[in-house]
Amino acid sequence: MKGRNVYSLDTPYAQQKTAQQAADKAYARKIHKHRFLAMIGIISVFVLVFGIQIWKNQRQLGRVNAQIQQTQTQLNKQKSKQKQLNGHIKELNDPEYLQQLIRSKYNYAKKGETIYNFAN
């Protein structure tokens, strides 16, 4: 079989059928294109909405982390201040330190002592 033995009939019905099949293919291609574009549009909307939500959450997370850092700094300052005040309370409970503080700050003197103030 070297040659082609089958030939199409070129009747008006065959031409109409061929034209109808071509029109059906074009219509199907058009429908598929519209569906594809609609799906791309819907997916794009979802990506955009979720992207914006993720971006807002990242910004909020950054703000919260900054507040946590600031609060940690304040907490560390308060802890060091508390430690200093606790040390001062311990010193004030020591009678010798308390006596020395009263003598230097309020010029307190025992009976028979004379206090001399020198100008610096």
Side-chain angles (χ1 to χ4, degrees), residues 15-65:
Q15 290 174 354
Q16 182 185 8
K17 253 328 196 187
T18 305
Q20 182 65 34
Q21 287 175 350
D24 288 345
K25 283 184 183 180
Y27 179 74
R29 190 172 291 134
K30 183 179 176 183
I31 293 294
H32 285 253
K33 184 178 178 182
H34 282 290
R35 287 179 184 167
F36 177 75
L37 292 176
M39 285 192 297
I40 291 295
I42 291 170
I43 291 171
S44 298
V45 168
F46 278 116
V47 167
L48 182 66
V49 167
F50 290 130
I52 290 172
Q53 286 180 349
I54 290 171
W55 177 68
K56 285 181 179 180
N57 287 341
Q58 288 293 330
R59 285 184 54 208
Q60 186 177 9
L61 178 64
R63 284 193 299 261
V64 168
N65 284 339

Side-chain angles (χ1 to χ4, degrees), residues 58-119:
Q58 288 293 330
R59 285 184 54 208
Q60 186 177 9
L61 178 64
R63 284 193 299 261
V64 168
N65 284 339
Q67 288 176 349
I68 288 171
Q69 186 66 30
Q70 184 181 10
T71 305
Q72 284 289 347
T73 304
Q74 290 175 351
L75 177 65
N76 290 337
K77 285 180 184 178
Q78 291 297 325
K79 281 183 177 181
S80 66
K81 187 175 181 180
Q82 182 183 7
K83 199 180 274 188
Q84 181 185 11
L85 289 174
N86 284 339
H88 193 62
I89 289 172
K90 285 181 184 178
E91 288 177 343
L92 288 175
N93 286 333
D94 183 19
E96 291 179 18
Y97 174 77
L98 188 58
Q99 187 179 26
Q100 179 186 1
L101 181 66
I102 291 173
R103 285 173 172 261
S104 65
K105 193 169 186 178
Y106 300 109
N107 293 327
Y108 179 76
K110 291 182 183 179
K111 282 188 177 180
E113 285 184 340
T114 305
I115 299 176
Y116 296 102
N117 289 325
F118 298 104

